[in-house]
Amino acid sequence: DAGITQSPRHKVTETGTPVTLRCHQTENHRYMYWYRQDPGHGLRLIHYSYGVKDTDKGEVSDGYSVSRSKTEDFLLTLESATSSQTSVYFCAISEFLADSYEQYFGPGTRLTVT
Amino acid sequence: EDKVVQSPLSLVVHEGDTVTLNCSYEVTNFRSLLWYKQEKKAPTFLFMLTSSGIEKKSGRLSSILDKKELFSILNITATQTGDSAVYLCADGGSNYKLTFGKGTLLTVNP
């Protein structure tokens, strides 16, 4: 397995509270991603990073922010969690490979917002 | 907007059957198409296809890309219960991002 860890692995929180999820890699890959996975929607990109301090929005970025202060860590923050953000969150990493970007996924974080 | 469509959405077979999963895409700047397997955890990488007509194989799994018709298939021969999973395909071309289809849920019964 690629060296990707996510913390916490499970979290239950209340509506309106801030939540931060952490993704940590030991592969020194340049690109990092946050996805959410929900039944009927598949994997949807929230935010991604193409280098330290370089981030951009994905297709479902509303209500989320990210930060990447060093290569190995990519943080996802829900400023004020809502029930619609109950989901499984996956971090992924990639590096340029054969003119494309093969991604490797972390184990996931199951977040429940009550 | 780019779109990746997988079919069927779900499939139930018996051990030993051969299955074909389909992935069609509508992308303007194609670079690659990727297949992943997802059991009850994170997706794991299977194949990346960049050239039309060249088959990639790994054991009982194989995949091929048709860039003219904009589709890819994933074949699994002699299926086993351990092949039960969601199979995801993704377009790997746009600004270091992947765009995933919704997946095909394969159930292999003994």
Side-chain angles (χ1 to χ4, degrees):
Chain A
D1 290 344
I4 314 169
T5 57
Q6 292 183 231
S7 59
R9 295 291 312 280
H10 300 272
K11 185 168 183 69
V12 179
T13 192
E14 293 184 350
T15 298
T17 59
V19 176
T20 295
L21 308 183
R22 180 181 184 237
C23 176
H24 179 78
Q25 61 148 327
T26 58
E27 305 294 323
N28 201 36
H29 281 7
R30 178 179 174 188
Y31 305 101
M32 298 186 76
Y33 310 81
W34 277 107
Y35 293 90
R36 61 179 289 174
Q37 188 172 38
D38 306 286
H41 291 280
L43 280 162
R44 293 181 292 174
L45 183 64
I46 305 171
H47 282 279
Y48 66 102
S49 170
Y50 47 96
V52 174
K53 297 194 189 323
D54 292 322
T55 65
D56 205 349
K57 296 179 181 180
E59 62 179 300
V60 290
S61 59
D62 287 349
Y64 302 95
S65 63
V66 290
S67 65
R68 190 166 178 204
S69 58
K70 44 187 178 177
T71 299
E72 56 266 36
D73 288 326
F74 193 33
L75 304 180
L76 177 70
T77 297
L78 291 65
E79 301 290 348
S80 177
T82 67
S83 58
S84 65
Q85 294 176 310
T86 292
S87 188
V88 178
Y89 291 85
F90 287 103
C91 173
I93 64 174
S94 75
E95 194 54 84
F96 188 84
L97 179 69
D99 202 31
S100 186
Y101 300 90
E102 180 181 323
Q103 291 187 9
Y104 297 95
F105 286 81
T109 294
R110 184 173 295 276
L111 176 67
T112 303
V113 183
T114 61
Chain B
E1 185 175 330
D2 296 345
K3 193 161 70 170
V4 178
V5 179
Q6 295 187 243
S7 64
L9 290 181
S10 65
L11 187 58
V12 180
V13 301
H14 292 289
E15 267 193 319
D17 288 350
T18 293
V19 298
T20 298
L21 309 182
N22 303 293
C23 177
S24 66
Y25 59 94
E26 301 172 10
V27 296
T28 52
N29 292 300
F30 178 82
R31 287 177 182 260
S32 63
L33 190 127
L34 292 84
W35 285 96
Y36 286 82
K37 177 183 182 182
Q38 186 176 24
E39 297 169 90
K40 292 190 184 299
K41 50 184 179 177
T44 54
F45 173 78
L46 294 175
F47 299 112
M48 183 171 71
L49 304 159
T50 56
S51 300
S52 209
I54 297 176
E55 185 181 54
K56 293 275 184 93
K57 272 183 81 75
S58 177
R60 295 176 294 101
L61 277 67
S62 64
S63 185
I64 198 162
L65 178 69
D66 186 325
K67 288 167 78 171
K68 182 179 177 185
E69 299 298 329
L70 305 182
F71 77 89
S72 173
I73 60 172
L74 175 68
N75 280 320
I76 308 174
T77 59
T79 52
Q80 302 170 357
T81 55
D83 295 326
S84 295
V86 174
Y87 290 84
L88 299 164
C89 77
D91 157 46
S94 180
N95 292 332
Y96 3 97
K97 298 183 289 184
L98 296 183
T99 301
F100 283 88
K102 290 183 169 52
T104 293
L105 173 61
L106 174 64
T107 303
V108 181
N109 290 326

